[in-house]
Amino acid sequence: MRLLGILGALGLVSLSFAQAPDVRIKLDGTLSYRTQSSGPTNLRLYGTDGRPSTLGISFVLETGFHGFVSEKLERITGDPDPSLLDEYYIEDPGIWKVGKQTIPFGLTRVMHETALGARADTNLIFQGLPVALLICDAGEGLQRGFDARIGSKVGLSVFLGRHFGISSGSLTQIREPEASPGSGRGYQAAVAIDGSRRFGKFELKGEMVNLTQGETVLDRDRNVADGTISYFPSRSITLTAGYSWVAPEGKQYLRFGGALPITRGVQFEPWIRFKDNALWDVSLQIRVRV
């Protein structure tokens, strides 16, 4: 019903511009079979990394404004976000974006949070580096505050506010998507430095995140370092190895996986992960993008 309401709102927006928008339907679905070494085996409509399956609609007006709305096909257990709507926003690409959206923090891999907010994009006058600024408020007990990211291949991110890091899509390199701490938890400050570089058929990505000023005594300060190396033997095949380290606990995590084509728009994504040299979990995923 909410999705229908959003569609109705988009229709009113298009009428206000006295023109019909270019509308497209998008499906990004993941069917994941995951078995844990010391936990249950389950079949879910979301990935091991907390990526939800979504059905979305995008539209483009002749004025150049873009709009997008997507709904989750399954809500992740423990996720503090009560809404099935994953994102909904309108934007002038590269200039501003208003609505529920992904917070531009780091590579959005270690910390992947969504919140209702207003974003502005610009470039530094002297260096020409891209800058993203966001003010967000997802509601009581959820993410709210100010976020900024500067850079492209190398980036610096800062978040100041409340309840950062509680999404089921965050920290999935070191916890299961269902292990989100919930509303009222998280951190009030976070800093990250990230970088990526391509060398022929190889790509390196790295990120260091510092989380401080926990909302409760359970939210202890921590540093998370994560790095991946990906190999692309062809345009449609990706093989990836990843490593994560957490301080002050000193825990280490390894993961190996890839993306293998099945047919157009459909790929097979196997993953195996280890925690402190012991098997953590194995997942077999089918991802469909049309």
Side-chain angles (χ1 to χ4, degrees), residues 211-249:
L211 300 167
T212 58
Q213 301 180 39
E215 297 284 356
T216 73
V217 295
L218 298 176
D219 303 304
R220 298 182 299 170
D221 292 357
R222 58 173 32 172
N223 294 304
V224 180
D226 180 75
T228 60
I229 178 170
S230 297
Y231 173 58
F232 304 90
S234 70
R235 294 182 59 183
S236 58
I237 298 177
T238 305
L239 304 176
T240 301
Y243 170 79
S244 301
W245 176 77
V246 184
E249 299 94 329

PDB file of all heavy atoms in Angstrom, residues 211-249:
ATOM      1  N   LEU A 211      34.767   4.238  15.074  1.00  0.00           N
ATOM      2  CA  LEU A 211      33.456   4.483  15.671  1.00  0.00           C
ATOM      3  C   LEU A 211      33.634   4.831  17.144  1.00  0.00           C
ATOM      4  O   LEU A 211      34.245   4.070  17.904  1.00  0.00           O
ATOM      5  CB  LEU A 211      32.567   3.244  15.540  1.00  0.00           C
ATOM      6  CG  LEU A 211      32.296   2.770  14.110  1.00  0.00           C
ATOM      7  CD1 LEU A 211      31.694   1.371  14.111  1.00  0.00           C
ATOM      8  CD2 LEU A 211      31.371   3.739  13.379  1.00  0.00           C
ATOM      9  N   THR A 212      33.102   6.002  17.574  1.00  0.00           N
ATOM     10  CA  THR A 212      33.279   6.460  18.954  1.00  0.00           C
ATOM     11  C   THR A 212      31.980   7.041  19.504  1.00  0.00           C
ATOM     12  O   THR A 212      31.010   7.236  18.780  1.00  0.00           O
ATOM     13  CB  THR A 212      34.384   7.531  19.044  1.00  0.00           C
ATOM     14  OG1 THR A 212      34.043   8.634  18.185  1.00  0.00           O
ATOM     15  CG2 THR A 212      35.736   6.964  18.618  1.00  0.00           C
ATOM     16  N   GLN A 213      31.991   7.330  20.806  1.00  0.00           N
ATOM     17  CA  GLN A 213      30.865   7.924  21.521  1.00  0.00           C
ATOM     18  C   GLN A 213      29.611   7.060  21.389  1.00  0.00           C
ATOM     19  O   GLN A 213      28.584   7.485  20.857  1.00  0.00           O
ATOM     20  CB  GLN A 213      30.593   9.351  21.030  1.00  0.00           C
ATOM     21  CG  GLN A 213      31.767  10.299  21.199  1.00  0.00           C
ATOM     22  CD  GLN A 213      31.471  11.704  20.716  1.00  0.00           C
ATOM     23  OE1 GLN A 213      30.371  12.219  20.914  1.00  0.00           O
ATOM     24  NE2 GLN A 213      32.450  12.332  20.067  1.00  0.00           N
ATOM     25  N   GLY A 214      29.710   5.836  21.860  1.00  0.00           N
ATOM     26  CA  GLY A 214      28.590   4.911  21.799  1.00  0.00           C
ATOM     27  C   GLY A 214      27.381   5.403  22.566  1.00  0.00           C
ATOM     28  O   GLY A 214      27.503   6.092  23.587  1.00  0.00           O
ATOM     29  N   GLU A 215      26.199   5.044  22.085  1.00  0.00           N
ATOM     30  CA  GLU A 215      24.955   5.463  22.732  1.00  0.00           C
ATOM     31  C   GLU A 215      24.737   4.764  24.073  1.00  0.00           C
ATOM     32  O   GLU A 215      24.107   5.314  24.972  1.00  0.00           O
ATOM     33  CB  GLU A 215      23.770   5.173  21.805  1.00  0.00           C
ATOM     34  CG  GLU A 215      23.784   5.949  20.489  1.00  0.00           C
ATOM     35  CD  GLU A 215      23.375   7.399  20.649  1.00  0.00           C
ATOM     36  OE1 GLU A 215      22.994   7.801  21.771  1.00  0.00           O
ATOM     37  OE2 GLU A 215      23.441   8.129  19.648  1.00  0.00           O
ATOM     38  N   THR A 216      25.250   3.539  24.220  1.00  0.00           N
ATOM     39  CA  THR A 216      25.115   2.788  25.466  1.00  0.00           C
ATOM     40  C   THR A 216      26.460   2.164  25.815  1.00  0.00           C
ATOM     41  O   THR A 216      27.406   2.196  25.021  1.00  0.00           O
ATOM     42  CB  THR A 216      24.064   1.667  25.330  1.00  0.00           C
ATOM     43  OG1 THR A 216      24.597   0.596  24.527  1.00  0.00           O
ATOM     44  CG2 THR A 216      22.778   2.171  24.684  1.00  0.00           C
ATOM     45  N   VAL A 217      26.545   1.560  27.000  1.00  0.00           N
ATOM     46  CA  VAL A 217      27.795   0.915  27.421  1.00  0.00           C
ATOM     47  C   VAL A 217      28.104  -0.297  26.556  1.00  0.00           C
ATOM     48  O   VAL A 217      29.247  -0.769  26.531  1.00  0.00           O
ATOM     49  CB  VAL A 217      27.717   0.501  28.910  1.00  0.00           C
ATOM     50  CG1 VAL A 217      27.601   1.725  29.796  1.00  0.00           C
ATOM     51  CG2 VAL A 217      26.531  -0.444  29.143  1.00  0.00           C
ATOM     52  N   LEU A 218      27.103  -0.809  25.854  1.00  0.00           N
ATOM     53  CA  LEU A 218      27.317  -1.948  24.959  1.00  0.00           C
ATOM     54  C   LEU A 218      27.965  -1.521  23.645  1.00  0.00           C
ATOM     55  O   LEU A 218      28.523  -2.358  22.932  1.00  0.00           O
ATOM     56  CB  LEU A 218      25.983  -2.648  24.672  1.00  0.00           C
ATOM     57  CG  LEU A 218      25.258  -3.245  25.878  1.00  0.00           C
ATOM     58  CD1 LEU A 218      23.903  -3.816  25.460  1.00  0.00           C
ATOM     59  CD2 LEU A 218      26.104  -4.324  26.536  1.00  0.00           C
ATOM     60  N   ASP A 219      27.873  -0.239  23.324  1.00  0.00           N
ATOM     61  CA  ASP A 219      28.424   0.272  22.068  1.00  0.00           C
ATOM     62  C   ASP A 219      29.825   0.832  22.324  1.00  0.00           C
ATOM     63  O   ASP A 219      30.041   2.046  22.401  1.00  0.00           O
ATOM     64  CB  ASP A 219      27.502   1.355  21.491  1.00  0.00           C
ATOM     65  CG  ASP A 219      26.091   0.845  21.280  1.00  0.00           C
ATOM     66  OD1 ASP A 219      25.937  -0.165  20.567  1.00  0.00           O
ATOM     67  OD2 ASP A 219      25.148   1.446  21.825  1.00  0.00           O
ATOM     68  N   ARG A 220      30.765  -0.067  22.448  1.00  0.00           N
ATOM     69  CA  ARG A 220      32.135   0.331  22.759  1.00  0.00           C
ATOM     70  C   ARG A 220      32.846   0.901  21.538  1.00  0.00           C
ATOM     71  O   ARG A 220      32.564   0.506  20.404  1.00  0.00           O
ATOM     72  CB  ARG A 220      32.922  -0.870  23.302  1.00  0.00           C
ATOM     73  CG  ARG A 220      32.354  -1.433  24.614  1.00  0.00           C
ATOM     74  CD  ARG A 220      33.210  -2.579  25.103  1.00  0.00           C
ATOM     75  NE  ARG A 220      33.217  -3.670  24.124  1.00  0.00           N
ATOM     76  CZ  ARG A 220      34.035  -4.719  24.201  1.00  0.00           C
ATOM     77  NH1 ARG A 220      34.930  -4.794  25.178  1.00  0.00           N
ATOM     78  NH2 ARG A 220      33.961  -5.672  23.292  1.00  0.00           N
ATOM     79  N   ASP A 221      33.787   1.813  21.787  1.00  0.00           N
ATOM     80  CA  ASP A 221      34.584   2.354  20.692  1.00  0.00           C
ATOM     81  C   ASP A 221      35.282   1.215  19.959  1.00  0.00           C
ATOM     82  O   ASP A 221      35.770   0.263  20.583  1.00  0.00           O
ATOM     83  CB  ASP A 221      35.640   3.317  21.228  1.00  0.00           C
ATOM     84  CG  ASP A 221      35.047   4.589  21.809  1.00  0.00           C
ATOM     85  OD1 ASP A 221      33.815   4.740  21.747  1.00  0.00           O
ATOM     86  OD2 ASP A 221      35.822   5.416  22.320  1.00  0.00           O
ATOM     87  N   ARG A 222      35.355   1.324  18.645  1.00  0.00           N
ATOM     88  CA  ARG A 222      36.026   0.277  17.878  1.00  0.00           C
ATOM     89  C   ARG A 222      36.556   0.832  16.561  1.00  0.00           C
ATOM     90  O   ARG A 222      36.071   1.827  16.042  1.00  0.00           O
ATOM     91  CB  ARG A 222      35.100  -0.905  17.602  1.00  0.00           C
ATOM     92  CG  ARG A 222      33.844  -0.553  16.848  1.00  0.00           C
ATOM     93  CD  ARG A 222      33.002  -1.744  16.411  1.00  0.00           C
ATOM     94  NE  ARG A 222      33.031  -2.887  17.274  1.00  0.00           N
ATOM     95  CZ  ARG A 222      32.244  -3.958  17.128  1.00  0.00           C
ATOM     96  NH1 ARG A 222      31.368  -3.983  16.132  1.00  0.00           N
ATOM     97  NH2 ARG A 222      32.327  -4.976  17.931  1.00  0.00           N
ATOM     98  N   ASN A 223      37.563   0.147  16.042  1.00  0.00           N
ATOM     99  CA  ASN A 223      38.120   0.423  14.723  1.00  0.00           C
ATOM    100  C   ASN A 223      37.910  -0.815  13.858  1.00  0.00           C
ATOM    101  O   ASN A 223      38.158  -1.939  14.314  1.00  0.00           O
ATOM    102  CB  ASN A 223      39.609   0.741  14.798  1.00  0.00           C
ATOM    103  CG  ASN A 223      39.880   2.034  15.551  1.00  0.00           C
ATOM    104  OD1 ASN A 223      39.352   3.074  15.201  1.00  0.00           O
ATOM    105  ND2 ASN A 223      40.690   1.963  16.595  1.00  0.00           N
ATOM    106  N   VAL A 224      37.472  -0.602  12.635  1.00  0.00           N
ATOM    107  CA  VAL A 224      37.253  -1.700  11.698  1.00  0.00           C
ATOM    108  C   VAL A 224      38.038  -1.415  10.432  1.00  0.00           C
ATOM    109  O   VAL A 224      37.846  -0.372   9.794  1.00  0.00           O
ATOM    110  CB  VAL A 224      35.761  -1.877  11.360  1.00  0.00           C
ATOM    111  CG1 VAL A 224      35.574  -3.032  10.383  1.00  0.00           C
ATOM    112  CG2 VAL A 224      34.938  -2.096  12.619  1.00  0.00           C
ATOM    113  N   ALA A 225      38.927  -2.326  10.075  1.00  0.00           N
ATOM    114  CA  ALA A 225      39.679  -2.222   8.826  1.00  0.00           C
ATOM    115  C   ALA A 225      39.195  -3.317   7.891  1.00  0.00           C
ATOM    116  O   ALA A 225      39.041  -4.472   8.302  1.00  0.00           O
ATOM    117  CB  ALA A 225      41.176  -2.368   9.087  1.00  0.00           C
ATOM    118  N   ASP A 226      38.958  -2.956   6.648  1.00  0.00           N
ATOM    119  CA  ASP A 226      38.466  -3.931   5.675  1.00  0.00           C
ATOM    120  C   ASP A 226      39.134  -3.697   4.330  1.00  0.00           C
ATOM    121  O   ASP A 226      39.270  -2.561   3.880  1.00  0.00           O
ATOM    122  CB  ASP A 226      36.945  -3.825   5.518  1.00  0.00           C
ATOM    123  CG  ASP A 226      36.401  -4.820   4.515  1.00  0.00           C
ATOM    124  OD1 ASP A 226      36.322  -6.010   4.868  1.00  0.00           O
ATOM    125  OD2 ASP A 226      36.073  -4.421   3.384  1.00  0.00           O
ATOM    126  N   GLY A 227      39.548  -4.792   3.696  1.00  0.00           N
ATOM    127  CA  GLY A 227      40.157  -4.689   2.379  1.00  0.00           C
ATOM    128  C   GLY A 227      39.752  -5.851   1.494  1.00  0.00           C
ATOM    129  O   GLY A 227      39.514  -6.967   1.978  1.00  0.00           O
ATOM    130  N   THR A 228      39.652  -5.592   0.195  1.00  0.00           N
ATOM    131  CA  THR A 228      39.311  -6.648  -0.764  1.00  0.00           C
ATOM    132  C   THR A 228      40.219  -6.535  -1.985  1.00  0.00           C
ATOM    133  O   THR A 228      40.682  -5.446  -2.342  1.00  0.00           O
ATOM    134  CB  THR A 228      37.851  -6.554  -1.237  1.00  0.00           C
ATOM    135  OG1 THR A 228      37.631  -5.287  -1.882  1.00  0.00           O
ATOM    136  CG2 THR A 228      36.888  -6.717  -0.076  1.00  0.00           C
ATOM    137  N   ILE A 229      40.438  -7.676  -2.600  1.00  0.00           N
ATOM    138  CA  ILE A 229      41.089  -7.717  -3.899  1.00  0.00           C
ATOM    139  C   ILE A 229      40.197  -8.534  -4.818  1.00  0.00           C
ATOM    140  O   ILE A 229      39.790  -9.644  -4.477  1.00  0.00           O
ATOM    141  CB  ILE A 229      42.508  -8.321  -3.825  1.00  0.00           C
ATOM    142  CG1 ILE A 229      43.119  -8.380  -5.234  1.00  0.00           C
ATOM    143  CG2 ILE A 229      42.525  -9.683  -3.140  1.00  0.00           C
ATOM    144  CD1 ILE A 229      44.594  -8.720  -5.237  1.00  0.00           C
ATOM    145  N   SER A 230      39.851  -7.944  -5.956  1.00  0.00           N
ATOM    146  CA  SER A 230      38.957  -8.598  -6.910  1.00  0.00           C
ATOM    147  C   SER A 230      39.690  -8.824  -8.220  1.00  0.00           C
ATOM    148  O   SER A 230      40.479  -7.976  -8.659  1.00  0.00           O
ATOM    149  CB  SER A 230      37.704  -7.754  -7.157  1.00  0.00           C
ATOM    150  OG  SER A 230      36.944  -7.600  -5.978  1.00  0.00           O
ATOM    151  N   TYR A 231      39.400  -9.963  -8.837  1.00  0.00           N
ATOM    152  CA  TYR A 231      39.994 -10.320 -10.127  1.00  0.00           C
ATOM    153  C   TYR A 231      38.869 -10.500 -11.134  1.00  0.00           C
ATOM    154  O   TYR A 231      37.865 -11.158 -10.853  1.00  0.00           O
ATOM    155  CB  TYR A 231      40.804 -11.612  -9.986  1.00  0.00           C
ATOM    156  CG  TYR A 231      41.333 -12.162 -11.289  1.00  0.00           C
ATOM    157  CD1 TYR A 231      42.162 -11.405 -12.111  1.00  0.00           C
ATOM    158  CD2 TYR A 231      41.009 -13.461 -11.695  1.00  0.00           C
ATOM    159  CE1 TYR A 231      42.649 -11.911 -13.309  1.00  0.00           C
ATOM    160  CE2 TYR A 231      41.497 -13.982 -12.884  1.00  0.00           C
ATOM    161  CZ  TYR A 231      42.310 -13.201 -13.696  1.00  0.00           C
ATOM    162  OH  TYR A 231      42.782 -13.705 -14.880  1.00  0.00           O
ATOM    163  N   PHE A 232      39.038  -9.897 -12.309  1.00  0.00           N
ATOM    164  CA  PHE A 232      38.024  -9.937 -13.355  1.00  0.00           C
ATOM    165  C   PHE A 232      38.590 -10.677 -14.574  1.00  0.00           C
ATOM    166  O   PHE A 232      39.142 -10.047 -15.482  1.00  0.00           O
ATOM    167  CB  PHE A 232      37.605  -8.521 -13.746  1.00  0.00           C
ATOM    168  CG  PHE A 232      37.119  -7.676 -12.599  1.00  0.00           C
ATOM    169  CD1 PHE A 232      38.011  -6.899 -11.858  1.00  0.00           C
ATOM    170  CD2 PHE A 232      35.790  -7.658 -12.245  1.00  0.00           C
ATOM    171  CE1 PHE A 232      37.579  -6.115 -10.803  1.00  0.00           C
ATOM    172  CE2 PHE A 232      35.337  -6.888 -11.184  1.00  0.00           C
ATOM    173  CZ  PHE A 232      36.240  -6.111 -10.456  1.00  0.00           C
ATOM    174  N   PRO A 233      38.475 -12.019 -14.611  1.00  0.00           N
ATOM    175  CA  PRO A 233      39.001 -12.767 -15.755  1.00  0.00           C
ATOM    176  C   PRO A 233      38.250 -12.458 -17.045  1.00  0.00           C
ATOM    177  O   PRO A 233      38.771 -12.654 -18.138  1.00  0.00           O
ATOM    178  CB  PRO A 233      38.822 -14.222 -15.336  1.00  0.00           C
ATOM    179  CG  PRO A 233      37.736 -14.196 -14.314  1.00  0.00           C
ATOM    180  CD  PRO A 233      37.885 -12.900 -13.594  1.00  0.00           C
ATOM    181  N   SER A 234      36.999 -11.985 -16.920  1.00  0.00           N
ATOM    182  CA  SER A 234      36.211 -11.548 -18.069  1.00  0.00           C
ATOM    183  C   SER A 234      35.258 -10.466 -17.596  1.00  0.00           C
ATOM    184  O   SER A 234      35.175 -10.167 -16.398  1.00  0.00           O
ATOM    185  CB  SER A 234      35.431 -12.724 -18.677  1.00  0.00           C
ATOM    186  OG  SER A 234      34.383 -13.131 -17.812  1.00  0.00           O
ATOM    187  N   ARG A 235      34.514  -9.872 -18.507  1.00  0.00           N
ATOM    188  CA  ARG A 235      33.608  -8.782 -18.156  1.00  0.00           C
ATOM    189  C   ARG A 235      32.466  -9.250 -17.259  1.00  0.00           C
ATOM    190  O   ARG A 235      31.889  -8.448 -16.523  1.00  0.00           O
ATOM    191  CB  ARG A 235      33.025  -8.150 -19.422  1.00  0.00           C
ATOM    192  CG  ARG A 235      34.055  -7.429 -20.288  1.00  0.00           C
ATOM    193  CD  ARG A 235      33.406  -6.787 -21.493  1.00  0.00           C
ATOM    194  NE  ARG A 235      32.386  -5.825 -21.107  1.00  0.00           N
ATOM    195  CZ  ARG A 235      31.619  -5.161 -21.958  1.00  0.00           C
ATOM    196  NH1 ARG A 235      31.744  -5.378 -23.261  1.00  0.00           N
ATOM    197  NH2 ARG A 235      30.716  -4.291 -21.535  1.00  0.00           N
ATOM    198  N   SER A 236      32.135 -10.541 -17.284  1.00  0.00           N
ATOM    199  CA  SER A 236      30.970 -11.037 -16.554  1.00  0.00           C
ATOM    200  C   SER A 236      31.322 -11.873 -15.330  1.00  0.00           C
ATOM    201  O   SER A 236      30.428 -12.343 -14.625  1.00  0.00           O
ATOM    202  CB  SER A 236      30.093 -11.861 -17.498  1.00  0.00           C
ATOM    203  OG  SER A 236      30.831 -12.940 -18.060  1.00  0.00           O
ATOM    204  N   ILE A 237      32.610 -12.064 -15.042  1.00  0.00           N
ATOM    205  CA  ILE A 237      33.028 -12.902 -13.917  1.00  0.00           C
ATOM    206  C   ILE A 237      33.874 -12.079 -12.951  1.00  0.00           C
ATOM    207  O   ILE A 237      34.771 -11.349 -13.369  1.00  0.00           O
ATOM    208  CB  ILE A 237      33.830 -14.131 -14.389  1.00  0.00           C
ATOM    209  CG1 ILE A 237      32.969 -15.026 -15.275  1.00  0.00           C
ATOM    210  CG2 ILE A 237      34.358 -14.927 -13.197  1.00  0.00           C
ATOM    211  CD1 ILE A 237      33.712 -16.215 -15.848  1.00  0.00           C
ATOM    212  N   THR A 238      33.566 -12.211 -11.656  1.00  0.00           N
ATOM    213  CA  THR A 238      34.343 -11.540 -10.616  1.00  0.00           C
ATOM    214  C   THR A 238      34.701 -12.545  -9.525  1.00  0.00           C
ATOM    215  O   THR A 238      33.829 -13.285  -9.050  1.00  0.00           O
ATOM    216  CB  THR A 238      33.550 -10.389  -9.975  1.00  0.00           C
ATOM    217  OG1 THR A 238      33.113  -9.483 -10.982  1.00  0.00           O
ATOM    218  CG2 THR A 238      34.410  -9.649  -8.961  1.00  0.00           C
ATOM    219  N   LEU A 239      35.962 -12.571  -9.127  1.00  0.00           N
ATOM    220  CA  LEU A 239      36.438 -13.390  -8.019  1.00  0.00           C
ATOM    221  C   LEU A 239      37.022 -12.455  -6.969  1.00  0.00           C
ATOM    222  O   LEU A 239      37.829 -11.585  -7.293  1.00  0.00           O
ATOM    223  CB  LEU A 239      37.502 -14.392  -8.498  1.00  0.00           C
ATOM    224  CG  LEU A 239      37.077 -15.330  -9.636  1.00  0.00           C
ATOM    225  CD1 LEU A 239      38.256 -16.188 -10.065  1.00  0.00           C
ATOM    226  CD2 LEU A 239      35.903 -16.204  -9.211  1.00  0.00           C
ATOM    227  N   THR A 240      36.605 -12.623  -5.706  1.00  0.00           N
ATOM    228  CA  THR A 240      36.969 -11.668  -4.666  1.00  0.00           C
ATOM    229  C   THR A 240      37.451 -12.366  -3.402  1.00  0.00           C
ATOM    230  O   THR A 240      36.896 -13.386  -2.986  1.00  0.00           O
ATOM    231  CB  THR A 240      35.778 -10.768  -4.318  1.00  0.00           C
ATOM    232  OG1 THR A 240      35.352 -10.058  -5.480  1.00  0.00           O
ATOM    233  CG2 THR A 240      36.143  -9.765  -3.234  1.00  0.00           C
ATOM    234  N   ALA A 241      38.473 -11.780  -2.779  1.00  0.00           N
ATOM    235  CA  ALA A 241      38.939 -12.198  -1.453  1.00  0.00           C
ATOM    236  C   ALA A 241      38.932 -10.963  -0.561  1.00  0.00           C
ATOM    237  O   ALA A 241      39.350  -9.876  -0.983  1.00  0.00           O
ATOM    238  CB  ALA A 241      40.336 -12.794  -1.524  1.00  0.00           C
ATOM    239  N   GLY A 242      38.441 -11.115   0.667  1.00  0.00           N
ATOM    240  CA  GLY A 242      38.353  -9.981   1.578  1.00  0.00           C
ATOM    241  C   GLY A 242      38.886 -10.317   2.954  1.00  0.00           C
ATOM    242  O   GLY A 242      38.849 -11.480   3.388  1.00  0.00           O
ATOM    243  N   TYR A 243      39.394  -9.279   3.628  1.00  0.00           N
ATOM    244  CA  TYR A 243      39.938  -9.448   4.979  1.00  0.00           C
ATOM    245  C   TYR A 243      39.462  -8.288   5.849  1.00  0.00           C
ATOM    246  O   TYR A 243      39.480  -7.123   5.418  1.00  0.00           O
ATOM    247  CB  TYR A 243      41.467  -9.463   4.943  1.00  0.00           C
ATOM    248  CG  TYR A 243      42.125  -9.398   6.307  1.00  0.00           C
ATOM    249  CD1 TYR A 243      42.224 -10.539   7.102  1.00  0.00           C
ATOM    250  CD2 TYR A 243      42.632  -8.199   6.799  1.00  0.00           C
ATOM    251  CE1 TYR A 243      42.830 -10.479   8.360  1.00  0.00           C
ATOM    252  CE2 TYR A 243      43.238  -8.132   8.048  1.00  0.00           C
ATOM    253  CZ  TYR A 243      43.332  -9.275   8.818  1.00  0.00           C
ATOM    254  OH  TYR A 243      43.920  -9.218  10.063  1.00  0.00           O
ATOM    255  N   SER A 244      39.013  -8.585   7.066  1.00  0.00           N
ATOM    256  CA  SER A 244      38.582  -7.563   8.015  1.00  0.00           C
ATOM    257  C   SER A 244      39.237  -7.799   9.365  1.00  0.00           C
ATOM    258  O   SER A 244      39.431  -8.951   9.782  1.00  0.00           O
ATOM    259  CB  SER A 244      37.050  -7.577   8.181  1.00  0.00           C
ATOM    260  OG  SER A 244      36.398  -7.347   6.954  1.00  0.00           O
ATOM    261  N   TRP A 245      39.564  -6.703  10.025  1.00  0.00           N
ATOM    262  CA  TRP A 245      40.194  -6.763  11.351  1.00  0.00           C
ATOM    263  C   TRP A 245      39.507  -5.753  12.255  1.00  0.00           C
ATOM    264  O   TRP A 245      39.196  -4.640  11.843  1.00  0.00           O
ATOM    265  CB  TRP A 245      41.675  -6.450  11.226  1.00  0.00           C
ATOM    266  CG  TRP A 245      42.422  -6.374  12.530  1.00  0.00           C
ATOM    267  CD1 TRP A 245      42.845  -7.411  13.298  1.00  0.00           C
ATOM    268  CD2 TRP A 245      42.824  -5.173  13.206  1.00  0.00           C
ATOM    269  NE1 TRP A 245      43.494  -6.940  14.413  1.00  0.00           N
ATOM    270  CE2 TRP A 245      43.501  -5.574  14.383  1.00  0.00           C
ATOM    271  CE3 TRP A 245      42.692  -3.814  12.928  1.00  0.00           C
ATOM    272  CZ2 TRP A 245      44.036  -4.660  15.298  1.00  0.00           C
ATOM    273  CZ3 TRP A 245      43.220  -2.888  13.831  1.00  0.00           C
ATOM    274  CH2 TRP A 245      43.877  -3.323  14.991  1.00  0.00           C
ATOM    275  N   VAL A 246      39.229  -6.152  13.513  1.00  0.00           N
ATOM    276  CA  VAL A 246      38.504  -5.304  14.450  1.00  0.00           C
ATOM    277  C   VAL A 246      39.336  -5.082  15.703  1.00  0.00           C
ATOM    278  O   VAL A 246      39.871  -6.029  16.288  1.00  0.00           O
ATOM    279  CB  VAL A 246      37.149  -5.936  14.852  1.00  0.00           C
ATOM    280  CG1 VAL A 246      36.363  -4.993  15.748  1.00  0.00           C
ATOM    281  CG2 VAL A 246      36.341  -6.296  13.628  1.00  0.00           C
ATOM    282  N   ALA A 247      39.449  -3.825  16.109  1.00  0.00           N
ATOM    283  CA  ALA A 247      40.129  -3.469  17.355  1.00  0.00           C
ATOM    284  C   ALA A 247      39.115  -2.767  18.277  1.00  0.00           C
ATOM    285  O   ALA A 247      38.211  -2.090  17.800  1.00  0.00           O
ATOM    286  CB  ALA A 247      41.307  -2.538  17.062  1.00  0.00           C
ATOM    287  N   PRO A 248      39.222  -2.959  19.594  1.00  0.00           N
ATOM    288  CA  PRO A 248      40.334  -3.596  20.313  1.00  0.00           C
ATOM    289  C   PRO A 248      40.224  -5.108  20.471  1.00  0.00           C
ATOM    290  O   PRO A 248      41.109  -5.728  21.053  1.00  0.00           O
ATOM    291  CB  PRO A 248      40.266  -2.906  21.674  1.00  0.00           C
ATOM    292  CG  PRO A 248      38.799  -2.661  21.879  1.00  0.00           C
ATOM    293  CD  PRO A 248      38.258  -2.318  20.525  1.00  0.00           C
ATOM    294  N   GLU A 249      39.143  -5.712  19.957  1.00  0.00           N
ATOM    295  CA  GLU A 249      38.978  -7.163  20.160  1.00  0.00           C
ATOM    296  C   GLU A 249      40.081  -7.972  19.483  1.00  0.00           C
ATOM    297  O   GLU A 249      40.434  -9.062  19.962  1.00  0.00           O
ATOM    298  CB  GLU A 249      37.623  -7.626  19.616  1.00  0.00           C
ATOM    299  CG  GLU A 249      36.413  -6.981  20.290  1.00  0.00           C
ATOM    300  CD  GLU A 249      35.931  -5.764  19.532  1.00  0.00           C
ATOM    301  OE1 GLU A 249      36.760  -5.081  18.913  1.00  0.00           O
ATOM    302  OE2 GLU A 249      34.720  -5.502  19.573  1.00  0.00           O
TER     303      GLU A 249
END
